[in-house]
C-alpha cells in the first residue's frame, strides 16, 4: 500500500467522529483559492502517457477533484490496474497541500473497464428483463468491483427515456417507459449506494439529465425540443425515483440545449428543477467537455470563463474531464472579486463532503493482494450476467419452429455475428471501449481522437484498416480485435462454437453470408450452399452496437435508417426460395425492424447485446433449455418516418388520433407500431383470471389493491411479465391513453397458478396541472392487466374521490407487487 503522509491527527477535519458535512466545513476554512479550484476539476490521463506520473503531477499542481479511469481499459492485469490507481492517488495527494484524495470515476452501465471485471448485457437488454431485483444485484457487483479498485463515482444508471431508434445510444437506456426506467434505475442506484468495498462507499452518477434522447433528428447532443411538462413528467420521472427512493448522490447533465439553454449552464434545470423541486442534494458533474461544448458549440458566454461561471451558478459542481471553464481565467475572476467567493465555497463544500461520505480520506487507495482478488474471484458476477442475458431474450415471432428439434441433421448458421463473440458486447463495455483505441475516428464525446490517425492504412501489428464494403464503417475483423477478446474474456464462445458444443450429433454448416451494414452480396453464394443443404437455418442479423468508427450504432453513431441492412434483407428474400425453416437472431442496440423479416422468417429472437454469456443464453433459447420471457421495453417503428412512436402517447394522438379527425393510418404505413411495448412470446401459454380490485373508491392519499391469477396453461415452465396499466378516463389536462403502473416478472411451472398483487397508491396518477403543480385529480381510473400494452386480458376500474395537490418529489412512481403460489 502507498505511504502518503496524510498528517492526520484525528482533530478538526481529520476527526472521524464528526459528520462528513462538519469535516468538510472545517477543511474548507484552511484551503487557498488554488486548492479550492483544484477540487472542482478533473485530470484525464489519456493515451500512451496515461501512466506518466511526472506529467500528471505537472497538470495538477494543487491536486485535483476527480480522476478519469478510462485508460484502465488498456491495462492487462487486475493487479496492474489497482497499482495504477494507487500510484495516481498518491500523486494527487502529494500534490495537494492538504493531501486531499481524488474521486476516481468509471462508467458502470455494463460493468467496469477493468481486467477480470464482469461484463453485463446492454441497458436496453436489461430493460427487456423487467427485473429490478436482478438490476440491484448487477449494480452491487459493478460497484464492488470498481470500489475495490479505488473507484467511487459509478457513472450509471442511464435514466434516459428513449423514443427514437435513430439515436445511436438507444441501447444504453432501459427503454421508453418512465415507470419501468424508474423501477430499474432506482434499483441500480440502491445497489451501488448500499455497497461498501475496502472501506469505500461508492455513489451513482445518473445520466443524462434531462431529455437527452428527445433530440432533433435523433442526433447526439442536438437541440432538445422538450416542453417543461413533458420534461418533468416523463423524462424526469426515473431521476426523481432514484432521488426519492434511493438517495441518488450524483447527476450528469446532458449536452443538449433545452429551451435555449444548454443543460450544463441551466440554473432552471440544475437548481430550480433538480435541487429545489426534485430534492437532489448530491454532486452534479459535467459530461465530458460539457462546459466547453456550451461555449464552443452552443456559443454560450463571451469567454470560456464566463461559461464556467454560468455553469457553477447553475449548480454544476465539477468539470470533467479537464479544466476549461473552471480553469485559470475563472480562478482570477474569484480572486479579483468579479465572481462571488461564496459561490465557490458552496460548490467546493459539496465536493469535500462527498469525498468524506465516500470514505476516501481514510481509504484512498485501491486494495491489493487477497482483498483485491477476493472480490473478482466471486462467481456471482458471471452468474448474474448469464441470468440477465437469458431474461433479456425476447421471442418476437414463432410459428412453431422453435425450440429446435433434436432431429435436425444439418443446421446452417449464417451471419457476421455467428462466429464473432465480440459482437455480443455493446457500447460502454470494456471490450468495446478497448476496441475503440484502434478506431480511425473517435465518436466519444469529450475524448481525444484515437491514437490511430484518420487515414492511416495500417493497424498496430501491420494489418490494414479495412471498411465494410460500400460504407464508412471500419471493419472489426482484424486479428488485433480478436486478441482483445482473448485477453479480456478467454472463455467467451461464439454462437457457432456454442452450438457445435451443444449439438454434437448435428452437422453445423457455417458461412459469413453478409456484413453488418451496406449492400454487399459477395458472400451470398457460399452461404446459399449451406442453406440449400441444411434442414434449418439460423440467420444472425443486425449491426455492430459499439463505439466510434467501427460501430453501426453507439455514442455519436446515429442513423437515419433503423431497419435491417439492405444486404441482410436481400439474403432473407433469396433464402426463402429453398423452403427451409428460417430463424432470425437479432443483435444490436435498437430493436429489429424489417418487413422482409416479418414476412419470411419463421421465428425471430431479439438478443440485443448479451455480453460475455451471450452464446449460452441464445443457444439456451434456441434449443429450449430456457423458455424466453423478455418483453419489449420500446415500441418498434416500421421505419424512421414513423418516429416517434410510443405506447403512452397523449389522448388524441398517434393511433388514437383517428378518434377525432383524419384517416386511421398513414397512406403508406399503419399508425400502430410493428411490435408493441411489452410484447414478447413464450414456448408456453399463460391464462389470466380472477381480477379483484379492493375498492371502487379511493381518497387521493389512499391506495388500491389489485389482484389477478396467472396460470401456466402449457406444458413448459416459463416466465411471464404481468403488466398493469392505468388510464385516467377524463382529466383537466391531456393525459396518456394508458400508462404502465406496475409489473411483476414471475416464473411459473406447468399448470401452476400464481396470485399477483399490485398495491397502487392514488398519487401514482398525479400530473402537472395548468400552474405546474402536482395534482391527484378526482375522476375514474381504468385498470388493465395483460401480457403487453396491447394484449390486455383483464379490465376494471376505480374512482379517486377528490382533488389533492401534493409534493411531486414524494409521490409514488410505480406499484409495489407481490406474488404467491396458489395451493
Amino acid at each position: 500500500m502507498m505511504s502518503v503522509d496524510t498528517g492526520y491527527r484525528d482533530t478538526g477535519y481529520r476527526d472521524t467522529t464528526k459528520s462528513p458535512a462538519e469535516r468538510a466545513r472545517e477543511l474548507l476554512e484552511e484551503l487557498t483559492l488554488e486548492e479550492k479550484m483544484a477540487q472542482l476539476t478533473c485530470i484525464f490521463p489519456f493515451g500512451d502517457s496515461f501512466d506518466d506520473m511526472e506529467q500528471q503531477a505537472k497538470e495538477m499542481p494543487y491536486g485535483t477533484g476527480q480522476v478519469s479511469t478510462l485508460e484502465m481499459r488498456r491495462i492487462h492485469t487486475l493487479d496492474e490496474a489497482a497499482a495504477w490507481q494507487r500510484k495516481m492517488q498518491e500523486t494527487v495527494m502529494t500534490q495537494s497541500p492538504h493531501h486531499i484524495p481524488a474521486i476516481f470515476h468509471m462508467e458502470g452501465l455494463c460493468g467496469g473497464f477493468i481486467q477480470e471485471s464482469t461484463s453485463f448485457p446492454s441497458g436496453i437488454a436489461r430493460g427487456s428483463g423487467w427485473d429490478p431485483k436482478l438490476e440491484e444485484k448487477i449494480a452491487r457487483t459493478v460497484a464492488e468491483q470498481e470500489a475495490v479498485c479505488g473507484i467511487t463515482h459509478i457513472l450509471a444508471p442511464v435514466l434516459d427515456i428513449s423514443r427514437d431508434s435513430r439515436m445511436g445510444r438507444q441501447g444504453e437506456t432501459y427503454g421508453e417507459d418512465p415507470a419501468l426506467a424508474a423501477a430499474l434505475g432506482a434499483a441500480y442506484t440502491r445497489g451501488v449506494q448500499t455497497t461498501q468495498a475496502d472501506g469505500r462507499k461508492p455513489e451513482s452518477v445518473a445520466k443524462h439529465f434531462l431529455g437527452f434522447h428527445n433530440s432533433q433528428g435523433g442526433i447526439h447532443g442536438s437541440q432538445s425540443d422538450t416542453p417543461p411538462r413533458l420534461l418533468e413528467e416523463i423524462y424526469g420521472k426515473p431521476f426523481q425515483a432514484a432521488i426519492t427512493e434511493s438517495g441518488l448522490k450524483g447527476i450528469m447533465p446532458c449536452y443538449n440545449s433545452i429551451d435555449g439553454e444548454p443543460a450544463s449552464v441551466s440554473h432552471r434545470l440544475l437548481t430550480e428543477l433538480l435541487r429545489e423541486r426534485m430534492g437532489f442534494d448530491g454532486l452534479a458533474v459535467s459530461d465530458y467537455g460539457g462546459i466547453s461544448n456550451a461555449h464552443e458549440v452552443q456559443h454560450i458566454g463571451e469567454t470560456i470563463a464566463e461559461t464556467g461561471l454560468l455553469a457553477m451558478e447553475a449548480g454544476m459542481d465539477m468539470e470533467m474531464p479537464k479544466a476549461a471553464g473552471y480553469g485559470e481565467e475563472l480562478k482570477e475572476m474569484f480572486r479579483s472579486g468579479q465572481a462571488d467567493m461564496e459561490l465557490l465555497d458552496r460548490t467546493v463544500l459539496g465536493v469535500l463532503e462527498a469525498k468524506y461520505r465516500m470514505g476516501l480520506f481514510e481509504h484512498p487507495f485501491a486494495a491489493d493482494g487477497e482483498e483485491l482478488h477476493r472480490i473478482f474471484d466471486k462467481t456471482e458476477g458471471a452468474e448474474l450476467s448469464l441470468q440477465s442475458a437469458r431474461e433479456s431474450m425476447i421471442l418476437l415471432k414463432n410459428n412453431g419452429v422453435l425450440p429446435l428439434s433434436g432431429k435436425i441433421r444439418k443446421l446452417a448458421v449464417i451471419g457476421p455475428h455467428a462466429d464473432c463473440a465480440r459482437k455480443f458486447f455493446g457500447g460502454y463495455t470494456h471490450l468495446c471501449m478497448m476496441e475503440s483505441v484502434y478506431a480511425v475516428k473517435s465518436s466519444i464525446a469529450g475524448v481525444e481522437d484515437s491514437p490511430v490517425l484518420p487515414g492511416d492504412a495500417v493497424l498496430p501489428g501491420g494489418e490494414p484498416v479495412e471498411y465494410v464494403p460500400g460504407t464508412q464503417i471500419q471493419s472489426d475483423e482484424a486479428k488485433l480485435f480478436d486478441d482483445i477478446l482473448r485477453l479480456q474474456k478467454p472463455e467467451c464462445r461464439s454462437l457457432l462454437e456454442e452450438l457445435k458444443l451443444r449439438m454434437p450429433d448435428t452437422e453445423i454448416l457455417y458461412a459469413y453470408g453478409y456484413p453488418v451494414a451496406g449492400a454487399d452480396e459477395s458472400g451470398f453464394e457460399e452461404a446459399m450452399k449451406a442453406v440449400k443443404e441444411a434442414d434449418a437455418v439460423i440467420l444472425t442479423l443486425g449491426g455492430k452496437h459499439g463505439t466510434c468508427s467501427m460501430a453501426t450504432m453507439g455514442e455519436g453513431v446515429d442513423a437515419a435508417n433503423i431497419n435491417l441492412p439492405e444486404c441482410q434483407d436481400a439474403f432473407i428474400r433469396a433464402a426463402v426460395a429453398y423452403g427451409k425453416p428460417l430463424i432470425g437472431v437479432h443483435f444490436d442496440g435498437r430493436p429489429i425492424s424489417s418487413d422482409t423479416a416479418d414476412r419470411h422468417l419463421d421465428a425471430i429472437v431479439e438478443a440485443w447485446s448479451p455480453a460475455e454469456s451471450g452464446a449460452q443464453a441464445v443457444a439456451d433459447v434456441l434449443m429450449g433449455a430456457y423458455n424466453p420471457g423478455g418483453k419489449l421495453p420500446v415500441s418498434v417503428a416500421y421505419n424512421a418516418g414513423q418516429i416517434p412512436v410510443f405506447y403512452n402517447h397523449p389522448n388524441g394522438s398517434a393511433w388514437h388520433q383517428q378518434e377525432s379527425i383524419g384517416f386511421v393510418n398513414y397512406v403508406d404505413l399503419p399508425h400502430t407500431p410493428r411490435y408493441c411495448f411489452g410484447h414478447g412470446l413464450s414456448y408456453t401459454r399463460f391464462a389470466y383470471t380472477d381480477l379483484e380490485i379492493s375498492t371502487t373508491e379511493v381518497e387521493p392519499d389512499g391506495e388500491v389493491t389489485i389482484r389477478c391469477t396467472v396460470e401456466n396453461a402449457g406444458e413448459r415452465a416459463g416466465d411471464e411479465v404481468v403488466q398493469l396499466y392505468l388510464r385516467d378516463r377524463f382529466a383537466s389536462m391531456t393525459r396518456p391513453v394508458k400508462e404502465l403502473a406496475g409489473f411483476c416478472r414471475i416464473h411459473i411451472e406447468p399448470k401452476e397458478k400464481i396470485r399477483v398483487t399490485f398495491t397502487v397508491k392514488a398519487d401514482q396518477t398525479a400530473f402537472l396541472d395548468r400552474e405546474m403543480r402536482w395534482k391527484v385529480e378526482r375522476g375514474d381510473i381504468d385498470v388493465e392487466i395483460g401480457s403487453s400494452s396491447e394484449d390486455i386480458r383483464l379490465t376494471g376500474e376505480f374512482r379517486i374521490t377528490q382533488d389533492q395537490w401534493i409534493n411531486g418529489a414524494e409521490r409514488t412512481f410505480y406499484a409495489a407487487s407481490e406474488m404467491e403460489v396458489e395451493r
Side-chain angles (χ1 to χ4, degrees):
M1 190 65 67
M2 297 295 175
S3 56
V4 174
D5 179 12
T6 62
Y8 285 2
R9 301 294 181 270
D10 290 335
T11 60
Y13 62 84
R14 304 179 183 97
D15 185 351
T16 58
T17 65
K18 293 183 177 181
S19 71
E22 290 173 319
R23 298 175 73 185
R25 280 193 296 270
E26 294 184 14
L27 176 55
L28 178 66
E29 292 177 1
E30 297 197 14
L31 300 187
T32 65
L33 174 60
E34 285 75 17
E35 290 177 276
K36 291 176 183 178
M37 288 298 297
Q39 288 305 302
L40 307 186
T41 62
C42 178
I43 188 169
F44 187 16
F46 185 81
D48 294 333
S49 63
F50 74 93
D51 57 355
D52 180 353
M53 294 303 153
E54 288 188 15
Q55 176 60 34
Q56 312 309 336
K58 292 176 184 177
E59 294 184 16
M60 50 176 184
Y62 296 95
T64 190
Q66 290 254 4
V67 174
S68 168
T69 62
L70 176 62
E71 290 310 301
M72 270 195 183
R73 61 183 174 174
R74 295 171 178 262
I75 300 176
H76 286 189
T77 71
L78 173 60
D79 289 307
E80 289 172 327
W84 177 86
Q85 190 277 345
R86 294 193 295 272
K87 192 176 177 183
M88 177 61 75
Q89 186 73 287
E90 179 184 32
T91 304
V92 171
M93 295 174 69
T94 299
Q95 292 296 106
S96 168
H98 284 81
H99 307 295
I100 302 173
I103 298 170
F104 284 68
H105 67 258
M106 181 177 278
E107 299 292 343
L109 172 64
C110 300
F113 302 162
I114 306 166
Q115 184 66 19
E116 299 185 29
S117 64
T118 309
S119 284
F120 291 98
S122 60
I124 200 166
R126 305 211 302 270
S128 302
W130 297 59
D131 192 342
K133 291 180 180 178
L134 176 59
E135 190 68 3
E136 184 172 344
K137 293 177 183 177
I138 288 172
R140 194 167 288 121
T141 296
V142 175
E144 195 173 39
Q145 291 180 353
E146 294 193 8
V148 80
C149 288
I151 298 158
T152 54
H153 250 177
I154 315 297
L155 305 188
V158 175
L159 298 182
D160 297 316
I161 297 300
S162 177
R163 293 173 166 181
D164 193 338
S165 291
R166 296 171 299 178
M167 221 275 204
R169 302 183 76 168
Q170 184 173 45
E172 298 176 31
T173 75
Y174 292 127
E176 75 182 37
D177 184 75
L180 177 61
L184 293 170
Y188 188 100
T189 303
R190 186 165 53 249
V192 169
Q193 296 189 173
T194 56
T195 296
Q196 181 169 324
D198 197 35
R200 286 174 294 281
K201 300 174 182 178
E203 296 183 352
S204 270
V205 179
K207 53 186 190 176
H208 304 84
F209 193 82
L210 190 62
F212 179 42
H213 282 246
N214 195 34
S215 58
Q216 287 182 348
I219 299 169
H220 186 272
S222 68
Q223 171 78 9
S224 178
D225 294 321
T226 312
R229 184 171 283 102
L230 178 63
L231 198 70
E232 196 168 344
E233 286 187 349
I234 299 297
Y235 292 96
K237 184 173 181 175
F239 290 92
Q240 184 69 79
I243 293 166
T244 301
E245 294 188 4
S246 305
L248 175 70
K249 291 299 183 184
I251 284 284
M252 178 178 283
C254 65
Y255 291 107
N256 312 62
S257 283
I258 301 168
D259 194 24
E261 291 182 301
S264 296
V265 298
S266 174
H267 187 274
R268 177 175 54 88
L269 290 179
L270 300 187
T271 293
E272 294 172 29
L273 176 58
L274 178 63
R275 297 185 187 276
E276 295 174 2
R277 282 177 68 88
M278 299 177 75
F280 176 73
D281 63 356
L283 292 182
V285 300
S286 81
D287 208 337
Y288 276 25
I291 295 175
S292 296
N293 191 72
H295 178 66
E296 296 170 4
V297 178
Q298 291 151 325
H299 295 183
I300 300 294
E302 294 295 325
T303 66
I304 186 64
E306 287 187 23
T307 314
L309 183 58
L310 284 172
M312 198 179 296
E313 289 173 340
M316 184 78 80
D317 295 299
M318 307 182 81
E319 180 177 19
M320 303 194 305
K322 293 183 177 181
Y326 288 8
E328 290 296 317
E329 188 180 347
L330 181 57
K331 181 168 67 178
E332 293 308 312
M333 291 174 70
F334 282 112
R335 192 189 308 278
S336 68
Q338 187 178 350
D340 187 354
M341 188 65 73
E342 184 180 340
L343 168 65
L344 178 61
D345 286 349
R346 184 171 67 245
T347 307
V348 174
L349 185 66
V351 173
L352 296 176
E353 183 176 347
K355 291 184 176 186
Y356 280 116
R357 202 167 54 227
M358 293 172 181
L360 289 177
F361 282 84
E362 284 67 53
H363 306 281
F365 300 113
D368 59 4
E370 183 179 343
E371 175 62 20
L372 175 66
H373 286 272
R374 181 182 63 82
I375 299 299
F376 286 84
D377 288 344
K378 293 180 180 180
T379 60
E380 183 182 13
E383 293 167 355
L384 292 175
S385 186
L386 174 60
Q387 181 185 349
S388 180
R390 283 171 168 163
E391 289 190 4
S392 74
M393 298 287 149
I394 304 174
L395 186 62
L396 293 176
K397 178 184 179 182
N398 187 24
N399 65 7
V401 69
L402 288 181
L404 291 171
S405 165
K407 299 178 180 179
I408 295 174
R409 294 178 300 104
K410 292 185 179 183
L411 177 68
V413 182
I414 313 293
H417 317 78
D419 197 27
C420 183
R422 287 184 293 99
K423 290 185 172 65
F424 296 155
F425 295 80
Y428 279 101
T429 55
H430 185 198
L431 187 134
C432 147
M433 295 305 289
M434 188 57 203
E435 285 183 333
S436 72
V437 170
Y438 304 105
V440 297
K441 189 67 177 175
S442 174
S443 65
I444 305 173
V447 176
E448 302 167 24
D449 274 357
S450 164
V452 178
L453 297 176
D456 273 9
V458 179
L459 293 167
E463 293 181 274
V465 172
E466 296 184 351
Y467 293 84
V468 176
T471 77
Q472 60 182 326
I473 298 162
Q474 182 184 348
S475 172
D476 66 346
E477 314 251 331
K479 179 180 179 298
L480 171 71
F481 299 111
D482 285 332
D483 291 343
I484 297 171
L485 177 68
R486 293 303 151 220
L487 170 66
Q488 290 188 11
K489 300 292 177 185
E491 304 301 319
C492 184
R493 290 190 289 269
S494 71
L495 179 59
L496 180 65
E497 292 168 333
E498 183 76 18
L499 291 173
K500 285 182 175 180
L501 186 69
R502 303 269 292 271
M503 303 175 74
D505 298 327
T506 299
E507 182 181 357
I508 297 183
L509 312 171
Y510 165 71
Y512 182 82
Y514 40 78
V516 294
D520 179 40
E521 299 185 6
S522 61
F524 278 24
E525 183 177 356
E526 178 191 6
M528 285 302 172
K529 290 178 182 178
V531 172
K532 185 177 180 180
E533 290 183 37
D535 300 314
V537 181
I538 294 172
L539 303 175
T540 69
L541 304 167
K544 162 76 171 176
H545 180 209
T547 192
C548 300
S549 50
M550 63 187 64
T552 62
M553 76 173 297
E555 181 174 354
V557 187
D558 310 315
N561 184 354
I562 66 167
N563 303 112
L564 284 182
E566 186 179 339
C567 58
Q568 296 181 16
D569 272 347
F571 189 88
I572 295 171
R573 288 192 295 269
V576 169
Y578 294 99
K580 306 297 176 69
L582 299 178
I583 300 155
V585 182
H586 184 254
F587 299 94
D588 217 329
R590 60 172 61 93
I592 185 172
S593 183
S594 164
D595 294 342
T596 301
D598 279 355
R599 187 176 303 118
H600 297 302
L601 295 186
D602 296 284
I604 301 173
V605 175
E606 182 59 79
W608 307 109
S609 300
E612 61 183 58
S613 300
Q616 182 178 346
V618 172
D620 284 347
V621 167
L622 294 176
M623 300 175 68
Y626 183 82
N627 189 349
K631 301 284 188 175
L632 279 170
V634 290
S635 306
V636 181
Y638 280 90
N639 61 45
Q642 198 182 13
I643 291 171
V645 57
F646 49 94
Y647 87 95
N648 54 343
H649 50 266
N651 283 309
S653 62
W655 58 95
H656 291 81
Q657 163 268 352
Q658 73 271 14
E659 296 174 2
S660 57
I661 190 170
F663 291 118
V664 172
N665 293 306
Y666 294 108
V667 295
D668 51 358
L669 276 181
H671 284 161
T672 52
R674 184 185 295 278
Y675 305 116
C676 70
F677 175 82
H679 170 68
L681 305 176
S682 173
Y683 296 150
T684 190
R685 296 176 293 106
F686 300 102
Y688 287 67
T689 58
D690 302 330
L691 175 66
E692 177 188 323
I693 301 175
S694 62
T695 182
T696 58
E697 293 190 340
V698 61
E699 298 293 317
D701 58 354
E703 64 183 36
V704 180
T705 301
I706 300 173
R707 296 185 175 91
C708 72
T709 297
V710 181
E711 179 183 5
N712 184 343
E715 303 301 320
R716 289 176 177 266
D719 286 12
E720 173 68 328
V721 178
V722 183
Q723 299 165 45
L724 168 67
Y725 296 89
L726 298 181
R727 176 178 181 243
D728 193 338
R729 197 178 297 169
F730 293 98
S732 58
M733 305 294 295
T734 305
R735 302 299 298 139
V737 295
K738 67 176 66 177
E739 294 181 282
L740 182 70
F743 57 91
C744 185
R745 182 169 184 135
I746 58 175
H747 179 77
I748 183 167
E749 297 293 326
K751 310 308 177 185
E752 186 177 52
K753 293 182 179 181
I754 289 182
R755 190 70 170 164
V756 177
T757 301
F758 295 103
T759 301
V760 177
K761 295 190 176 181
D763 66 4
Q764 278 186 243
T765 67
F767 57 85
L768 291 167
D769 68 6
R770 288 177 171 84
E771 285 75 43
M772 294 296 287
R773 299 175 300 169
W774 284 100
K775 180 183 183 183
V776 181
E777 190 168 86
R778 175 179 60 89
D780 295 320
I781 304 295
D782 292 321
V783 174
E784 298 180 346
I785 294 180
S787 188
S788 80
S789 60
E790 294 298 316
D791 183 7
I792 300 301
R793 310 291 183 85
L794 303 169
T795 61
E797 63 185 72
F798 64 87
R799 182 173 179 81
I800 297 173
T801 58
Q802 59 185 325
D803 296 340
Q804 183 170 299
W805 284 265
I806 64 170
N807 179 353
E810 297 175 354
R811 72 193 193 277
T812 308
F813 306 100
Y814 47 87
S817 62
E818 297 178 355
M819 51 166 283
E820 181 181 4
V821 177
E822 289 195 348
R823 303 299 180 186

